[in-house]
Amino acid sequence: QVQLVESGGGLVPAGGSLRLSCVASGRTFSSYVMGWFRQAPGKERELVAAISWGGISTYFTGSVKGRFTISIDNAQNTVYLQMNSLKPEDTAVYYCAARRGRDFDSGYWGQGTQVTVSS
């Protein structure tokens, strides 16, 4: 059974940092692309960052470029999202996802972790 388990969310002041973790289990993910999504109340879900399991390719949405980094620890089967210089508009539930096909909707999802940035 495939599981993606996120952790690391919390409440931080603007300008602070958080590191989210996503532990993947249940299969070999070497051919997968891993992504971090977020959804704020009343807003659509958006892809924040993505990385190929080998770490060669990465993607960041424009609003987080230069502030967030994404990485993979293959030995621990864990994907990290390091978030620095956090802003109140980063407040959302953050989800880890894995896809092998064209889109994440048909892949695997975690349960989400809340990130709240106070002004």
Side-chain angles (χ1 to χ4, degrees):
Q1 181 180 357
V2 174
Q3 279 193 311
L4 302 177
V5 180
E6 304 101 330
S7 61
L11 172 64
V12 293
S17 297
L18 281 175
R19 188 177 76 161
L20 306 184
S21 301
C22 171
V23 179
S25 63
R27 65 166 57 239
T28 300
F29 288 89
S30 58
S31 60
Y32 280 72
V33 174
M34 305 300 294
W36 283 99
F37 287 78
R38 67 185 179 188
Q39 187 164 24
K43 294 188 176 181
E44 291 188 357
R45 185 183 66 194
E46 69 168 334
L47 176 62
V48 175
I51 186 169
S52 56
W53 194 261
I56 295 175
S57 300
T58 59
Y59 163 85
F60 297 94
T61 192
S63 61
V64 308
K65 283 183 180 178
R67 300 189 297 124
F68 290 11
T69 58
I70 188 170
S71 60
I72 287 181
D73 182 332
N74 288 288
Q76 300 294 326
N77 256 25
T78 301
V79 183
Y80 298 101
L81 184 68
Q82 177 67 44
M83 306 185 296
N84 299 326
S85 302
L86 282 162
K87 304 175 181 180
E89 51 263 44
D90 294 317
T91 295
V93 178
Y94 284 70
Y95 298 90
C96 176
R99 70 166 174 86
R100 190 175 183 182
R102 289 179 58 85
D103 60 81
F104 284 97
D105 286 341
S106 58
Y108 302 101
W109 290 80
Q111 82 287 354
T113 185
Q114 176 71 47
V115 171
T116 304
V117 184
S118 62
S119 57

